[in-house]
């Protein structure tokens, strides 16, 4: 997926491009597997004769692999075509699913999950990068609403789907059911997906790859150890600190490569204020969602005595509502901008988590369902506009890097959220138990405190939401004085505009181009009126080949 695209495929207004539809479907299938094994832990322990700590690795290893592989996807997507990236990602995922389904031992199952995760890690950045290239700015909110189904609802539905499947078969059925669905999606996708970009040959810094894998993988692993009950807090802190140190080395390496070569993950994305704010809000939101996904099953199953199936059915409506509201939220964003959605969504998120601080052994189940639905609706109202604003604030050659950074931080946020709520809950329950409080009231008190901490963190999203612009055009006017910052003047083979330069009415002119219309930009190496090239319009312009953009359109 290259920063330099040959031709934007013609997309009729109000239509979702076929390539995006297929990628959303494929992404939903592969992301569903991130949480589908949560309810299968007891079955794995019985079938493969392993401990609970070992069984947890089927989820931990998946998350670790995602965190280690996603940083490489920005470079990978620039070197291959859309069809190649799709074929490789789905092929690897199918291989991992097959291996997991027939695994004779736990070690083989673990290997299968790692292979599955490697394919999954490519799909999300591929979907986001493709969407930003082929969908006109005025339709991105609506299309991003559909994407919400894949990135948010799939992990939320994972435990519910696995609960249903485990009622009728063994844990292997989880992979047997997914395999033919993923195969059909792969075959149909390869027939319909079209290339939307040319590969861009570039080198890779293998030191960055190794440091990124150690850093992000180590941090996620260290955070995941906080949830263990074997007293390994010291080890968890040590591994997390080592991971954080490796990430610091990775950041310094990328800053150096931005000046002298090609970075593995281009940190100039963070120089765009709207993207940085969106990244922060998305990370906190994902932390809140995953934290609640861990706490609620513990509360409903361990304390209230519900079965995994009953728990999944109770929490399924919230996930379904989130997915069904996605397209509607996108349309509202396209029409009115982000402010009617993101700020109320952030407030709703805090209210839902605050409501969960009142959990008890007698809380009505309808109240649990209502609070969970409020949380999911609030996240739907937040995720779609924030995704669209954040990615839309980047120039096209940073799309793949922006989406890979977003995916990486989602995994870190998921691990941090899980570690935080479990640690707070366990510490509180242990302290009360030591003081003579009965086990059940102690655990309920620990859950209340954990939800309170999550609500306090979610409150930060209200402050971040208040700083976000209403539309992408507003973001372009705020960032770096209307031009892209930090770009190397030689990055695209021509004399580029320095940071802070205004290019004909706040537009961004890429290196080596001529720009005549206001409010749009010309992509790298193209002429505004030259044959066969187009001018993109992330700042509010129409798709096409250099049509001028009026003030009304921005």
């Amino acid at each position: 997926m290259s920063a330099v695209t040959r031709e934007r495929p013609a997309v009729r207004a109000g239509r979702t491009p076929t390539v995006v539809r297929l990628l959303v479907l494929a992404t939903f299938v592969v992301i569903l597997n991130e949480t589908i094994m949560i309810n299968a832990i007891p079955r794995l322990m019985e079938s493969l004769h392993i401990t609970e700590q070992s069984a947890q690795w089927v989820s931990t290893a998946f998350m670790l692999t995602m965190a280690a592989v996603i940083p490489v996807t920005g470079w990978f997507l620039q070197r291959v075509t859309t069809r190649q990236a799709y074929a490789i990602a789905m092929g690897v995922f199918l291989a991992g699913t097959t291996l997991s389904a027939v695994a004779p031992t736990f070690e083989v199952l673990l290997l299968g999950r790692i292979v599955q995760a490697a394919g999954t890690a490519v799909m999300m950045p591929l979907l986001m990068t493709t969407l930003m290239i082929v969908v006109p700015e005025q339709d991105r909110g609506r299309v991003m609403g559909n994407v919400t189904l894949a990135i948010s609802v799939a992990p939320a539905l994972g435990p519910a789907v696995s609960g249903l499947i485990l009622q009728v078969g063994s844990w292997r059925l989880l992979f047997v059911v997914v395999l033919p669905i993923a195969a059909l999606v792969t075959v149909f996708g390869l027939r319909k997906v079209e290339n939307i970009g040319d590969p861009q040959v570039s080198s890779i810094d293998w030191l960055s790859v190794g440091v990124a894998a150690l850093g992000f993988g180590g941090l996620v692993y260290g955070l995941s150890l906080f949830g263990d009950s074997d007293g390994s807090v010291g080890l968890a802190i040590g591994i997390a600190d080592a991971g954080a140190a490796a990430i610091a080395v990775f950041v310094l390496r990328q800053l150096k490569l931005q000046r002298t070569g090609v970075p593995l993950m281009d940190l100039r994305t963070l120089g765009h204020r709207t993207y940085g704010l969106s990244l922060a809000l998305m990370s906190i939101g994902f932390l809140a969602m995953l934290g609640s996904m861990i706490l609620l099953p513990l509360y409903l199953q361990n304390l209230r005595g519900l079965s995994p199936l009953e728990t999944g059915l109770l929490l399924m409506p919230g996930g379904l509502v989130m997915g069904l509201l996605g397209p509607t939220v996108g349309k509202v964003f396209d029409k009115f901008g982000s402010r009617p959605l993101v700020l109320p969504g952030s407030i709703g998120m805090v209210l839902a988590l605050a409501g969960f601080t009142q959990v008890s052994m007698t809380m009505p189940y309808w109240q649990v369902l209502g609070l969970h639905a409020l949380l999911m609706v609030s996240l739907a109202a937040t995720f779609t506009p924030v995704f669209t604003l954040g990615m839309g604030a980047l120039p096209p050659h940073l799309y793949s890097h922006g989406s890979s950074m977003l995916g990486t931080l989602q995994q870190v946020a998921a691990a941090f959220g899980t570690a935080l709520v479990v640690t707070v809950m366990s510490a509180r329950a242990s302290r009360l138990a030591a003081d003579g409080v009965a086990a059940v009231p102690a655990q309920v008190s620990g859950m209340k405190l954990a939800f309170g901490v999550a609500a306090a963190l979610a409150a930060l999203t209200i402050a971040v939401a208040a700083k976000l612009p209403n539309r992408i055009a507003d973001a372009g006017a705020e960032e770096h004085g209307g031009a892209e910052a930090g770009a190397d003047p030689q990055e695209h083979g021509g004399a580029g505009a320095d940071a802070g330069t205004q290019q004909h009415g706040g537009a961004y002119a890429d290196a080596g181009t001529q720009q005549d219309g206001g409010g749009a930009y010309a992509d790298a190496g193209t002429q505004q009126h030259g044959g066969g090239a187009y001018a993109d319009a992330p700042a509010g312009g129409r798709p096409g080949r250099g049509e001028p953009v009026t003030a009304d359109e921005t």
Side-chain angles (χ1 to χ4, degrees):
M1 190 77 56
S2 171
V4 183
T5 52
R6 290 190 304 262
E7 181 91 13
R8 178 198 295 269
V11 178
R12 196 164 32 174
R15 292 287 302 274
T16 301
T18 301
V19 62
V20 175
R21 291 176 183 270
L22 290 169
L23 290 177
V24 167
L25 179 60
T27 303
F28 180 88
V29 172
V30 299
I31 290 184
L32 183 70
N33 283 267
E34 185 167 3
T35 56
I36 202 171
M37 294 298 293
I38 288 178
N39 281 338
I41 299 301
R43 297 283 184 88
L44 287 176
M45 294 169 60
E46 179 183 353
S47 173
L48 299 176
H49 309 292
I50 55 176
T51 64
E52 182 177 2
Q53 286 75 21
S54 297
Q56 291 287 351
W57 267 94
V58 296
S59 294
T60 302
F62 197 100
M63 196 161 51
L64 276 172
T65 305
M66 291 274 285
V69 173
I70 288 178
V72 186
T73 59
W75 167 84
F76 172 74
L77 292 178
Q78 289 183 332
R79 287 187 60 90
V80 298
T81 64
T82 311
R83 284 176 54 82
Q84 288 173 336
Y86 182 84
I88 292 171
M90 293 304 294
V92 170
F93 177 80
L94 285 170
T97 304
T98 303
L99 188 61
S100 299
V102 301
T105 64
F106 176 70
E107 289 76 15
V108 177
L109 172 62
L110 201 60
L111 177 61
R113 289 288 285 173
I114 291 172
V115 175
Q116 262 194 329
T120 303
V122 177
M123 288 305 302
M124 183 61 201
L126 174 62
L127 170 60
M128 294 295 294
T129 304
T130 303
L131 185 153
M132 296 306 298
I133 292 175
V134 303
V135 178
E137 188 271 327
Q138 65 268 22
D139 287 336
R140 284 179 188 162
R142 177 184 57 80
V143 178
M144 196 70 78
N146 296 322
V147 174
T148 303
L149 178 70
I151 61 172
S152 304
V153 179
L157 290 181
V161 172
S162 64
L164 290 170
I165 294 175
L166 289 171
Q167 287 292 112
V168 297
S170 73
W171 59 268
R172 296 183 188 274
L173 196 58
L174 295 173
F175 301 105
V176 173
V177 169
V178 168
L179 188 60
I181 298 173
L184 286 174
V185 170
T186 302
V187 172
F188 185 70
L190 288 175
R191 292 175 57 189
K192 298 292 185 179
V193 169
E194 298 178 356
N195 293 327
I196 60 170
D198 294 323
Q200 185 181 51
V201 178
S202 61
S203 59
I204 185 170
D205 181 55
W206 290 106
L207 176 60
S208 295
V209 174
V211 175
L214 291 174
F216 292 108
L219 180 61
V220 168
Y221 177 49
L223 291 172
S224 70
L225 289 178
F226 280 93
D228 288 350
S229 57
D230 57 1
S232 58
V233 175
L235 177 64
I237 293 175
I239 294 177
D241 286 346
I247 291 174
V249 173
F250 174 78
V251 169
L252 293 175
R253 179 67 177 173
Q254 302 318 295
L255 293 175
K256 179 181 179 181
L257 290 175
Q258 284 172 189
R259 296 190 300 268
T260 62
V262 179
L264 181 66
M265 183 180 288
D266 201 322
L267 301 182
R268 279 171 288 204
T269 53
L270 299 177
H272 296 262
R273 179 175 178 270
T274 299
Y275 176 80
L277 291 172
S278 300
L279 199 65
L281 201 154
M282 283 297 306
S283 297
I284 298 173
F286 212 70
L287 183 155
M289 185 177 78
L290 267 294
S292 68
M293 282 179 60
I294 292 296
L295 289 177
L296 285 176
L298 290 175
Y299 165 69
L300 293 171
Q301 293 180 40
N302 294 357
L303 298 182
R304 300 297 295 270
L306 297 186
S307 68
L309 176 61
E310 291 169 332
T311 300
L313 292 176
L314 183 62
L315 300 182
M316 184 179 286
L320 290 176
V321 168
M322 185 183 195
L324 293 173
L325 279 181
T328 302
V329 168
K331 292 176 182 177
V332 173
F333 171 73
D334 286 335
K335 189 171 184 179
F336 299 106
S338 69
R339 292 199 178 100
L341 294 167
V342 179
L343 196 56
S346 300
I347 294 172
M349 189 193 317
V350 176
L351 291 177
L353 290 170
F356 279 126
T357 61
Q358 304 306 308
V359 293
S360 67
M361 294 301 294
T362 58
M363 175 181 273
Y365 290 124
W366 65 262
Q367 194 170 343
V368 176
L369 188 152
L371 288 172
H372 183 254
L374 174 60
L375 178 61
M376 294 295 104
V377 169
S378 301
L379 289 171
T382 303
F383 282 171
T384 296
V386 169
F387 263 126
T388 311
L389 280 175
M391 292 296 293
L394 298 176
H397 68 279
L398 292 180
Y399 284 161
S400 59
H401 291 281
S403 60
S404 65
M405 184 176 296
L406 180 62
T408 301
L409 288 189
Q410 276 188 348
Q411 298 305 311
V412 173
F416 180 72
T418 301
L420 179 67
V421 298
V422 170
T423 300
V424 170
M425 178 187 67
S426 300
R428 173 74 170 172
S430 299
R431 187 159 54 249
L432 291 176
D435 293 338
V437 178
V440 171
Q443 290 181 15
V444 170
S445 179
M447 286 189 177
K448 289 182 176 181
L449 181 60
F451 276 120
V453 171
L457 281 175
L460 297 175
T461 62
I462 299 176
V464 177
K467 294 179 178 294
L468 282 172
N470 193 45
R471 292 188 183 277
I472 296 173
D474 302 333
E478 292 177 9
E479 297 189 12
H480 313 299
E484 179 197 7
D488 192 330
Q490 302 301 321
E491 182 177 352
H492 298 291
D498 291 334
T501 304
Q502 296 287 339
Q503 294 287 334
H504 303 289
Y508 146 87
D510 209 349
T513 68
Q514 296 295 327
Q515 172 73 29
D516 298 327
Y521 82 95
D523 204 353
T526 69
Q527 293 289 332
Q528 178 75 9
H529 300 293
Y534 73 90
D536 203 349
R542 298 190 301 266
R545 295 197 178 101
E547 294 92 342
V549 182
T550 65
D552 292 337
E553 289 176 299
T554 59

